């Protein structure tokens, strides 16, 4: 197998390694290669606003912290770990920290964040740049549903 083919297949090799008995329930270094950063996001821009959508299923609103800081949106939180013996561990757990560079300045006083059905939607009207601002997350209930 050539070096390039091996590098291309590395995420699959690491996934197979995770399936072995010795690695079950353990977050191996290769897991980040095959699953990417957490939480996964979409960044959408139109003529009036920026919108960031982040997938946060199973994370209560009280566990999420959002902050605008020097042209970036910072998402902090914690995904509770399940108790018991893992037979397969594909979903991350524990603390997470995601820094998203915004492509344009936003109006800090008009930012809205809503968590509904595991989808966090942060809507930011375009405007003057801000240095720092915390953002409250609104939702239907404490569990994010």
């Amino acid at each position: 197998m050539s070096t390039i083919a091996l590098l291309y297949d590395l995420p699959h090799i690491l996934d197979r390694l995770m399936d072995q008995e010795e690695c079950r329930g353990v977050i191996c270094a290769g897991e980040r290669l095959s699953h990417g950063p957490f939480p996964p996001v979409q960044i959408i821009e139109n003529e009036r606003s920026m919108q960031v959508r982040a997938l946060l299923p199973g994370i209560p609103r009280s566990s999420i912290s959002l902050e605008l800081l020097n042209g970036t949106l910072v998402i902090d939180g914690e995904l509770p770990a399940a108790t018991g013996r893992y037979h397969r561990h594909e979903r991350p757990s524990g603390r997470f920290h995601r820094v998203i560079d915004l492509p344009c300045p936003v109006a800090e006083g008009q930012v809205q964040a809503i968590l509904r059905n595991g989808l966090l939607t942060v809507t930011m009207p375009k405007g003057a740049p801000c240095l720092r601002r915390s953002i409250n997350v609104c939702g239907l209930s404490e569990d994010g549903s």
Side-chain angles (χ1 to χ4, degrees):
M1 182 180 275
S2 73
T3 305
I4 292 174
L6 182 63
L7 288 173
Y8 179 76
D9 201 39
L10 186 60
H12 304 290
I13 293 169
L14 292 170
D15 282 342
R16 286 194 302 272
L17 175 64
M18 287 293 294
D19 287 338
Q20 295 179 5
E21 184 66 35
E22 300 82 34
C23 272
R24 286 190 185 152
V26 178
I27 298 177
C28 292
E31 194 162 273
R32 291 196 184 275
L33 289 175
S34 62
H35 297 291
F38 187 84
V41 299
Q42 291 179 326
I43 303 170
I44 304 156
E45 179 180 1
N46 62 36
E47 55 277 345
R48 292 187 312 259
S49 67
M50 295 290 308
Q51 192 175 71
V52 174
R53 296 178 187 161
L55 290 177
L56 297 170
I59 302 176
R61 182 176 38 157
S62 60
S63 296
I64 301 169
S65 169
L66 298 175
E67 190 170 46
L68 279 175
L69 181 63
N70 294 326
T72 61
L73 176 66
V74 180
I75 304 173
D76 282 308
E78 184 166 3
L79 179 60
T83 57
R85 182 173 178 261
Y86 288 100
H87 290 275
R88 185 132 177 111
H89 187 86
E90 294 179 351
R91 186 173 188 225
S93 60
R95 299 226 25 95
F96 60 87
H97 178 83
R98 183 83 192 258
V99 178
I100 300 162
D101 290 324
L102 300 174
C104 65
V106 297
E108 65 178 74
Q110 299 171 4
V111 176
Q112 294 180 335
I114 297 172
L115 179 64
R116 184 177 295 132
N117 297 327
L119 178 66
L120 174 68
T121 304
V122 183
T123 304
M124 301 162 282
K126 292 180 179 179
C130 71
L131 296 179
R132 184 180 198 131
R133 177 178 170 78
S134 294
I135 304 164
N136 288 329
V137 178
C138 300
L140 299 177
S141 66
E142 190 59 28
D143 65 0
S145 60

